[in-house]
Amino acid sequence: MSGGQFISFEGGDGCGKSTQLKLAAAWLREQGVQVLETREPGATDLGLELRRLLLSGEYVPVPECELLLFLADRAQHVKAMIQPALARGEWVLCDRYSDSTLAYQLAARGLSDSADLKPMLDFAEVGASPDKTFWLDIPAEAALQRVSARTNMGEESTRLDEEALSFHQQVHAGFAAIYREHTMRIHRIDATNTIDCIHQEIRLQLQGMLG
Ligand code: TYD
């Protein structure tokens, strides 16, 4: 079997990527693959603190601060968890990674206009970039309906979930632009399909990676 693979799951809030990540991890384990299921922000102890600062709503960071906190969380995550897992030959399935930063902070918050921030994003990755990314593509309106249904069922929403529709539309446009630049790495999936249909599509891709 090939060595560790790094796979990220991306998309707007409510796109269903966390469900798909779990299904993909379970299937890979059935194939005998060791899997690390992880997420951003907040996979490490330090990251959990950063996640609270970023998402609880207790603070409203300026965009520059928001960006730096997400990157701080990433650097800690990569060195403490992702790189060691890959070195052990495990597959890392990560719920959000740098494409989320590009879509949320650079595209939607408009930071991409202020400076060339890509080197900073590379710095925070500490050399770990995904081999494959699944982008669960869903229009912002539909995704937000799912988020508000979840909130009505008692799930807590985050500071970013509560941003206006226009923000989520910009996030979506951000992901679409990233996809157009990286069609080899990123596999776009129509996230309005059923859970099972999406899982089958992801399985096909994973099968190809298993060789
Ligand atoms: P989370 O509750 O994990 O939501 P989801 O299930 O949608 O991933 O919240 C993570 C939030 O953080 C989400 O709104 C996207 C945002 N985020 C960024 O803005 N930038 C980033 O770099 C990352 C990793 C996440």
Side-chain angles (χ1 to χ4, degrees):
M1 186 172 297
S2 55
Q5 297 278 341
F6 181 15
I7 303 172
S8 59
F9 288 69
E10 296 279 7
D13 300 87
C15 68
K17 64 189 161 34
S18 310
T19 305
Q20 290 301 331
L21 189 152
K22 282 193 186 69
L23 291 171
W27 182 78
L28 280 170
R29 289 191 182 107
E30 281 169 21
Q31 314 309 305
V33 177
Q34 298 275 355
V35 179
L36 172 70
E37 279 177 69
T38 190
R39 67 159 182 186
E40 290 195 356
T44 62
D45 289 344
L46 172 54
L48 265 183
E49 296 287 317
L50 295 170
R51 181 182 171 90
R52 184 178 62 77
L53 296 175
L54 276 161
L55 299 178
S56 69
E58 193 178 340
Y59 304 101
V60 182
V62 296
E64 291 78 359
C65 176
E66 187 177 274
L67 170 68
L68 290 166
L69 290 176
F70 277 115
L71 296 185
D73 172 71
R74 179 158 309 130
Q76 186 70 21
H77 187 202
V78 169
K79 282 198 134 173
M81 292 180 69
I82 295 177
Q83 280 175 341
L86 291 171
R88 291 192 298 267
E90 294 175 19
W91 286 39
V92 174
L93 269 53
C94 189
D95 192 336
R96 299 195 180 280
Y97 198 64
S98 294
D99 293 334
S100 280
T101 315
L102 288 165
Y104 282 80
Q105 279 67 52
L106 272 60
R109 292 270 188 245
L111 283 177
S112 51
D113 297 336
S114 54
D116 183 2
L117 297 168
K118 296 271 172 64
M120 260 171 52
L121 267 72
D122 288 346
F123 177 71
E125 287 190 350
V126 206
S129 47
D131 300 294
K132 173 67 82 193
T133 296
F134 294 111
W135 171 37
L136 278 81
D137 181 10
I138 185 169
E141 293 81 352
L144 281 187
Q145 272 170 16
R146 289 187 187 175
V147 171
S148 74
R150 285 200 308 228
T151 312
N152 291 339
M153 299 282 288
E155 207 175 292
E156 242 177 81
S157 63
T158 71
R159 183 175 61 82
L160 291 177
D161 289 334
E162 285 159 19
E163 287 281 351
L165 174 63
S166 59
F167 176 82
H168 292 283
Q169 285 167 333
Q170 279 168 306
V171 169
H172 183 266
F175 277 124
I178 301 162
Y179 170 64
R180 284 194 295 274
E181 264 186 58
H182 300 280
T183 47
M184 293 296 284
R185 168 175 63 87
I186 303 177
H187 185 85
R188 189 189 82 86
I189 296 174
D190 180 350
T192 61
N193 281 329
T194 63
I195 290 176
D196 190 51
C197 174
I198 296 170
H199 175 56
Q200 297 304 328
E201 192 172 340
I202 291 176
R203 251 166 80 159
L204 260 181
Q205 295 295 313
L206 296 176
Q207 226 144 18
M209 292 174 78
L210 279 169

